[in-house]
């Protein structure tokens, strides 16, 4: 037996110290695990080494191997899951040394292509008092000794502290990455931004921080789940996945954090992240990964769900700001409409009354005619302002007034002038959709005829809506109707009016030009 102060003990102590220093020089968890296995093999002279992390089910994950070339690993196939001798150390977390592991009652055997192994040493690694994983060593010439058990146990104790530090650093780094992603979401979803653009930016940010194979914003309704925006190399297959497995995958009564799925013919793992918010209750984030190593971590799952909550709140904020801006615009429009009605129209009306009073005192015909024209102009101005008031007060996104003005603008270049457009009555609220479609078609035909045949310098479009009818009148100062009128497009206008129970007339307009009148009832 060697004395405590023998050179062999000193060399062993230095070797163990060097191994501890070696495994302490990195904070990346996977590289730390690899260095632990390498150091254990060097300290004991084992040919093969492995470290398996114990998962939530009591099996092994993240199995790190040393001493075996890639070709041998490929021949073995699937990595061990924690059965047989490996499971003994899991069930009873104490050092286990065997001279011939094949003779143990729980020996599970080796798969085809596995190298032969006889001697065995298994030692658990604890992190903060909980078994993190097991260190396995095999194939030492002459078998493992008591000193090997002591050395590897000491290395495992030091490794527990190093792994704990690496996990703490890894968690802090992941938190930093998720916090940065959350900040990017807040910056990206600043209003005004369309919802589609917001969803596209969210999936890009989520995939950048998770490196998932595919991510998507999913909209849920009674007809199923629909991908609103997606990103990733396998994103094109997400809608098919939802069509096949959407009910089970998105079932709120079964809130599993991690679900195995098949995406584009490949086994994958899916995570569903509800976007908990007031305005996005029917939306969720879906992320699909090719392995579940990182997803097994409860802290990682919590960070992902916090990200989804923040996205929902950011979307709520964006929509609330947009709604507030829209409300401010509508309030301002109401104020303008009130001012036009209460101030401008009343003043014009009073001016017209005074002009009519002056006309009674006028004894010269040309003076009276001038006053009449002034009163007519004021009446026309009042009608225009009232049409503007209706347009300002309309809450509909679709607007017949706007469509009429837009259609008239299309013909300005062909006509060589801009026709006047006048409206009266509840044009945007009282005209049925079917009548609107036919009216716009008739107006297009009328403007086309003026551009092709009338040689006009002025034209006017008048649209009046009463309690019973909608009336479209288009007049011009052109050459008038020819002696023989070939009705082609005009026949269509007449047919449209007749089909809606209305009337269509086309005739001369004094002092020159043509007048078209298309009138149909509002109730069909």
């Amino acid at each position: 037996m060697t004395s405590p102060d023998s050179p062999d003990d000193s060399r062993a102590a230095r070797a163990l110290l060097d191994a501890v220093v070696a495994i302490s020089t990195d904070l990346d968890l996977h590289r730390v695990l690899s260095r632990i296995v390498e150091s254990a093999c060097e300290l004991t002279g084992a040919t093969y080494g492995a470290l398996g992390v114990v998962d939530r089910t009591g099996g092994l994950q993240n199995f790190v191997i040393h001493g075996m070339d890639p070709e041998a690993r490929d021949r073995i196939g699937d990595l061990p899951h924690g059965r047989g001798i490996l499971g003994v150390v899991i069930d009873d977390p104490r050092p286990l040394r065997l001279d011939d592991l094949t003779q143990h009652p729980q020996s599970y055997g080796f798969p085809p292509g596995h190298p032969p192994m006889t001697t065995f040493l298994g030692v658990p690694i604890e992190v903060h008092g909980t078994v993190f994983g097991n260190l396995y060593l095999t194939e030492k010439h002459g078998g493992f000794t008591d000193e090997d058990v002591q050395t590897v146990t000491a290395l495992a104790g030091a490794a527990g502290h190093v792994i704990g530090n690496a996990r703490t650093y890894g968690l802090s780094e992941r938190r930093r990455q998720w916090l940065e992603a959350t900040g990017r979401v807040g910056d990206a979803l600043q209003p005004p931004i369309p919802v589609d653009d917001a969803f596209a930016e969210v999936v890009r940010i989520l995939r950048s921080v998770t490196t998932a194979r595919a991510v998507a914003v999913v909209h849920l309704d009674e007809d199923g789940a629909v991908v609103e925006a997606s990103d990733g190399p396998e994103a094109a297959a997400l809608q098919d996945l939802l069509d096949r497995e959407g009910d089970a995958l998105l079932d709120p009564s079964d809130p599993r954090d991690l679900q195995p799925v098949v995406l584009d013919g490949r086994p994958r793992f899916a995570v569903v992240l509800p976007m908990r918010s007031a305005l996005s209750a029917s939306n969720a984030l879906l992320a699909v990964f090719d392995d579940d190593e990182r997803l097994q971590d409860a802290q990682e799952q919590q960070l992902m769900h916090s990200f989804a909550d923040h996205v929902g709140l950011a979307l709520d904020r964006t929509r609330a700001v947009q709604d507030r801006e829209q409300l401010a615009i509508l309030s301002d429009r109401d104020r303008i409409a009130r001012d036009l009605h209460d101030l401008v129209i009343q003043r014009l009306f009073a001016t017209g009354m005074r002009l009519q009073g002056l006309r009674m005192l006028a004894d010269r015909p040309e003076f009276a005619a001038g006053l009449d024209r002034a009163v007519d102009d004021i009446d026309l101005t009042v009608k225009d302002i009232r049409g503007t008031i209706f347009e300002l007060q309309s809450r509909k996104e679709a607007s017949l007034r706007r469509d009429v003005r837009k259609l008239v603008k299309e013909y300005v270049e062909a006509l060589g002038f801009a026709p006047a457009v006048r409206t009266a009555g509840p044009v945007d609220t009282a005209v049925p959709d079917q009548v609107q479609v036919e009216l716009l078609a008739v107006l297009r035909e009328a403007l086309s005829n003026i551009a092709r045949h009338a040689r006009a310098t002025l034209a006017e479009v008048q649209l009046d809506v009463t309690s019973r009818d909608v009336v479209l009148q288009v007049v011009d100062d052109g050459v008038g109707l020819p002696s023989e009128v070939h009705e082609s497009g005009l026949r269509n206008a007449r047919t449209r009016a007749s089909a809606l129970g209305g009337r269509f007339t086309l005739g001369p307009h004094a002092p020159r030009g043509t007048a078209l009148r298309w009138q149909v009832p509002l109730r069909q």
Side-chain angles (χ1 to χ4, degrees), residues 23-257:
I23 66 176
S24 303
T25 56
D26 206 331
L27 288 174
D28 180 79
L29 183 58
H30 185 78
R31 290 197 292 267
V32 166
L33 299 182
S34 297
R35 291 189 177 185
I36 291 172
V37 180
E38 294 173 10
S39 299
C41 290
E42 292 174 359
L43 287 172
T44 61
T47 303
Y48 304 108
L51 194 156
V53 179
V54 179
D55 62 21
R56 293 182 296 180
T57 64
L60 293 177
Q61 63 171 345
N62 196 12
F63 204 78
V64 180
I65 300 174
H66 175 71
M68 194 177 298
D69 57 57
E71 291 77 10
R73 297 182 188 180
D74 293 339
R75 288 196 300 270
I76 293 174
D78 290 340
L79 295 175
H81 300 287
R83 295 188 292 267
I85 299 298
L86 302 185
V88 174
V89 186
I90 296 174
D91 298 333
D92 184 11
R94 292 182 297 176
L96 175 64
R97 181 179 60 175
L98 299 174
D99 292 330
D100 188 351
L101 62 87
T102 61
Q103 301 302 314
H104 193 278
Q106 296 190 31
S107 177
Y108 197 79
F110 299 113
H114 196 287
M117 294 182 179
T118 305
T119 56
F120 173 87
L121 175 59
V123 177
I125 298 176
E126 293 186 358
V127 177
H128 304 311
T130 302
V131 175
F132 169 81
N134 295 318
L135 182 59
Y136 304 109
L137 305 171
T138 63
E139 285 305 287
K140 176 183 178 180
H141 183 69
F144 294 98
T145 65
D146 292 338
E147 287 77 8
D148 292 330
V149 175
Q150 295 174 4
T151 300
V152 176
T153 301
L155 177 65
H161 294 288
V162 175
I163 292 172
N165 292 337
R167 293 178 69 186
T168 300
Y169 171 79
L171 178 59
S172 65
E173 181 66 12
R174 290 299 293 163
R175 283 177 174 168
R176 183 195 63 78
Q177 293 172 357
W178 279 108
L179 185 61
E180 183 180 284
T182 301
R184 288 168 58 194
V185 166
D187 294 339
L189 301 191
Q190 291 293 330
I193 179 173
V195 174
D196 292 343
D197 293 346
F199 285 162
E201 188 63 25
V202 166
V203 295
R204 281 195 293 268
I205 293 173
L206 179 58
R207 183 167 180 270
S208 70
V209 74
T210 61
T211 65
R213 299 297 300 173
V215 295
V217 173
V218 179
H219 177 70
L220 314 174
D221 56 26
E222 61 275 6
D223 297 327
V226 179
V227 173
E228 296 285 348
S230 61
D231 188 52
E234 299 178 7
L238 284 176
Q239 187 60 59
D240 179 65
L241 171 65
L242 292 173
D243 293 340
R244 287 185 290 105
E245 306 180 31
D247 292 341
L249 190 63
L250 305 170
D251 184 4
S253 63
D254 185 18
R256 292 175 293 171
D257 290 325

Side-chain angles (χ1 to χ4, degrees), residues 236-299:
L238 284 176
Q239 187 60 59
D240 179 65
L241 171 65
L242 292 173
D243 293 340
R244 287 185 290 105
E245 306 180 31
D247 292 341
L249 190 63
L250 305 170
D251 184 4
S253 63
D254 185 18
R256 292 175 293 171
D257 290 325
L258 184 62
Q259 303 183 52
V261 297
V262 176
L263 184 66
D264 201 16
R266 303 178 183 89
R268 294 289 186 255
F269 297 91
V271 174
V272 178
L273 308 170
M275 293 164 58
R276 301 180 181 92
S277 63
L279 303 179
S280 304
S282 58
N283 292 327
L285 293 173
L286 173 64
V288 181
F289 301 83
D290 55 3
D291 64 66
D292 63 342
E293 177 181 339
R294 179 180 291 176
L295 302 176
Q296 295 288 357
D297 192 322
Q299 296 283 352

Side-chain angles (χ1 to χ4, degrees), residues 438 488-502 504 518:
E438 303 295 345
S488 54
L490 296 177
R491 184 185 303 111
N492 292 335
R494 193 183 308 278
T495 301
R496 295 177 191 275
S498 177
L500 296 173
F504 171 80
W518 190 82

